[in-house]
């Protein structure tokens, strides 16, 4: 009985504390809440928003200290260490996009320099794996895209959304590099993604 | 016996007169027209724009609540200022919005003792014991921003004040999801509800 009373007091204390911290509200649709000694007014308001389109690859697959470590060197310009085809397996495409007047956007991929002869770099989006955060309409291109300086669509028309930041968010990119002749990438070689 | 009855009626009558809250009028001036700038935009790909937010001027709306003048047979028996001087009540201000799109977060705040008491100096101020505390303004949430609901059925208290008060500044912060389309103005209404009380 002694413990029951103790717990009852504790429960009352917790409920009281919760109620005290809760923000006070009223039903403002009910005129009785303000008709005596109060009043109600409204004002119109306008907010103007800018469109936004930003894109990022996480982690940067060609910077130091990133990549799977079991596939190829992570530094652009260094030779692939194996003559066999290689996959980069944990690269994610993040973006944030607010459309302007419902204009859909696309994401393009290309390279900033020609891919050296004898080497082929392909990228594809893993279908159905769109990360754990964010809120965006997925509309990826199916299948591998062979990269070149010519822009290719990798995500077709989509409306506003955001993917969440970092790995395991957005589109999972799978790179496949075929380099039987162990050709080196030129200095400053980049794979570029563009959202517009 | 008759004497005591009369005194009792007088006292009850006096109590009821003092216990009745007088009618007042809320006035809201200013038209919030807030524009997002490039510095207000999210800068990390993958994050929603609600992670940043942008503010209006501190006095985008000015709120005034005063007691109505007392008019008897077409003659002003007591002006607004006289009524405000002689009758001090507590007022709570609740806010909500309407016609706000999904993912569009609107927050509002004011600061401690913002605005101006009417009259500037009141008889009430000189009382040795002020039943409602000093005439002043107390914001909720410690003066930090409060998210304004989109449903009037749960209009939220943003601040309270004692006595008539003029030109209380209201500042807004907008946190728009990128899911809210750009290019067209987002138009909505802000509702202010003042609730008076005797204690």
């Amino acid at each position: 009985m002694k413990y029951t009373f103790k717990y009852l007091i504790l429960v009352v204390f917790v409920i009281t504390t919760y109620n005290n911290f809760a923000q006070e509200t009223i039903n403002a649709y009910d005129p009785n809440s303000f008709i005596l000694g109060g009043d109600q007014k409204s004002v119109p308001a306008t907010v103007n928003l800018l469109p936004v389109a930003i894109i990022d690859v996480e982690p940067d697959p060609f910077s130091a200290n990133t990549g799977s470590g079991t596939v190829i060197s992570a530094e652009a310009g260094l030779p692939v260490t194996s003559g066999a085809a290689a996959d980069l397996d944990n690269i994610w495409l993040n973006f944030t996009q607010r459309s302007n007047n419902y204009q859909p956007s696309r994401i393009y991929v290309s390279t900033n320099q020609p891919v050296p002869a004898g080497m082929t770099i392909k990228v594809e989006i893993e279908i159905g794996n769109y990360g754990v955060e964010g809120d965006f309409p997925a509309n990826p291109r199916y299948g591998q895209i062979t990269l070149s300086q010519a822009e290719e669509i990798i995500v077709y028309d989509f409306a506003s959304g955001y993917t969440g930041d970092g790995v395991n968010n957005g589109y999972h990119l799978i790179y496949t590099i075929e380099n039987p002749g162990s050709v080196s990438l030129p200095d400053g070689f980049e794979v570029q993604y563009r959202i517009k | 016996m008759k004497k005591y009855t009369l005194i009792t009626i007088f006292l009850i009558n006096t109590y009821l007169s003092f216990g009745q809250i007088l009618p007042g009028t809320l006035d809201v001036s200013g038209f919030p027209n807030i524009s997002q700038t490039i510095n207000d935009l999210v800068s990390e790909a993958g994050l929603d724009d609600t992670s940043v937010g942008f503010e209006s001027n501190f006095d985008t709306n000015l709120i005034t609540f005063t007691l109505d003048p007392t008019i008897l047979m077409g003659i002003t028996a007591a002006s607004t200022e006289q009524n405000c001087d002689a009758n001090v009540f507590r007022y709570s201000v609740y806010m909500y919005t309407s016609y706000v799109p999904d993912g569009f977060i609107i927050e509002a705040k004011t600061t401690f003792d913002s605005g101006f008491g009417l009259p500037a100096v009141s008889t009430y101020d000189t009382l040795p014991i002020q039943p409602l505390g000093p005439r002043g303004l107390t914001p909720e949430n410690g003066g930090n921003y409060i998210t304004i609901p989109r449903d009037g059925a749960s209009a939220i208290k943003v601040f309270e004040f004692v006595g008539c008060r003029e030109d209380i500044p209201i500042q807004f912060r907008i946190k728009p999801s990128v899911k809210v389309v750009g290019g067209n103005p987002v138009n909505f209404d802000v509702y202010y509800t003042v609730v008076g009380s005797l204690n």
Side-chain angles (χ1 to χ4, degrees):
Chain A
M1 184 61 188
K2 184 181 169 187
Y3 285 110
T4 308
F5 184 71
K6 186 178 167 187
Y7 286 125
L8 191 64
I9 294 287
L10 191 63
V11 168
V12 169
F13 173 76
V14 168
I15 290 172
T16 307
T17 305
Y18 172 80
N19 284 335
N20 286 343
F21 279 108
Q23 204 91 37
E24 197 178 322
T25 61
I26 59 162
N27 180 5
Y29 295 141
D30 180 8
N32 291 323
S33 63
F34 58 86
I35 199 155
L36 293 175
D39 199 2
Q40 187 177 74
K41 289 279 171 18
S42 70
V43 288
T46 296
V47 173
N48 300 290
L49 300 180
L50 293 175
V52 58
I54 48 178
I55 194 165
D56 193 10
V57 175
E58 296 275 359
D60 181 352
F62 297 113
S63 69
N65 305 319
T66 59
S68 69
T70 60
V71 185
I72 62 169
S73 167
E75 185 59 46
L78 294 180
V80 173
T81 54
S82 166
D87 292 327
L88 293 168
D89 57 6
N90 197 30
I91 307 299
W92 294 79
L93 189 64
N94 300 164
F95 68 85
T96 297
Q97 193 267 350
R98 175 187 289 129
S99 67
N100 197 23
N101 289 320
Y102 299 96
Q103 185 75 29
S105 292
R106 292 175 170 178
I107 297 175
Y108 300 82
V109 62
S110 63
T111 60
N112 68 332
Q113 300 179 48
V115 177
M119 179 188 285
T120 304
I121 304 176
K122 297 176 181 175
V123 66
E124 68 178 315
I125 288 174
E126 182 185 357
I127 303 303
N129 186 2
Y130 305 131
V132 294
E133 297 176 6
D135 182 6
F136 65 100
N139 191 18
R141 176 173 171 174
Y142 283 51
Q144 289 184 320
I145 301 165
T146 301
L147 298 183
S148 70
Q149 284 186 288
E151 281 193 323
E152 296 271 359
I153 296 172
I154 190 167
V155 179
Y156 292 111
D157 291 4
F158 63 97
S160 301
Y162 62 99
T163 59
D165 186 29
V167 296
N168 299 319
N169 288 312
Y171 289 115
H172 182 209
L173 299 175
I174 301 170
Y175 284 94
T176 303
I177 302 174
E178 297 166 1
N179 190 16
S182 293
V183 179
S184 296
L185 288 169
D187 276 348
F189 180 86
E190 293 175 353
V191 177
Q192 297 177 328
Y193 293 86
R194 189 160 68 98
I195 184 171
K196 69 172 181 177
Chain B
M1 183 64 190
K2 188 180 175 187
K3 184 180 172 188
Y4 288 118
T5 306
L6 285 175
I7 289 171
T8 304
I9 289 171
F10 173 77
L11 287 175
I12 290 172
N13 207 23
T14 306
Y15 173 79
L16 289 176
S17 299
F18 277 109
Q20 190 172 344
I21 196 161
L22 297 180
T25 299
L26 170 65
D27 181 59
V28 183
S29 63
F31 172 72
N33 189 344
I34 311 161
S35 293
Q36 190 176 33
T37 69
I38 195 153
N39 295 325
D40 302 325
L41 288 169
V42 61
S43 58
E44 179 62 45
L47 297 181
D48 196 5
D49 208 16
T50 54
S51 60
V52 184
F54 53 102
E55 295 180 305
S56 70
N57 293 332
F58 82 98
D59 57 354
T60 297
N61 273 151
L62 291 173
I63 310 298
T64 293
F65 187 85
T66 54
L67 294 176
D68 297 337
T70 304
I71 297 172
L72 299 173
M73 293 183 292
I75 298 169
T76 302
S79 67
T80 286
E81 188 156 344
Q82 287 169 327
N83 271 340
C84 287
D85 187 30
N87 302 277
V88 174
F89 306 112
R90 185 186 305 280
Y91 300 100
S92 298
V93 179
Y94 298 81
M95 293 177 68
Y96 74 96
T97 57
S98 64
Y99 307 115
V100 172
D102 286 341
F104 196 85
I105 301 168
I106 300 166
E107 300 171 320
K109 71 171 183 179
T110 188
T111 53
F112 281 91
D113 287 335
S114 60
F116 307 95
L118 181 76
V121 178
S122 164
T123 309
Y124 178 87
D125 300 336
T126 62
L127 294 176
I129 297 174
Q130 297 161 344
L132 302 179
R135 289 190 309 144
L137 183 146
T138 308
E140 294 290 295
N141 198 27
N144 296 311
Y145 277 110
I146 295 170
T147 300
I148 306 303
R150 298 187 297 167
D151 182 7
S154 57
I156 198 163
K157 186 175 175 181
V158 178
F159 60 94
E160 68 174 32
F161 56 93
V162 174
C164 297
R165 204 155 188 92
E166 296 180 306
D167 294 338
I168 302 163
I170 305 295
Q171 185 171 23
F172 293 94
R173 182 165 66 185
I174 310 296
K175 290 183 172 179
S177 171
V178 292
K179 304 285 281 184
V180 181
V181 173
N184 292 315
V186 178
N187 299 307
F188 57 95
D189 291 327
V190 181
Y191 282 81
Y192 295 89
T193 303
V194 175
V195 178
S197 67
L198 297 167
N199 49 33

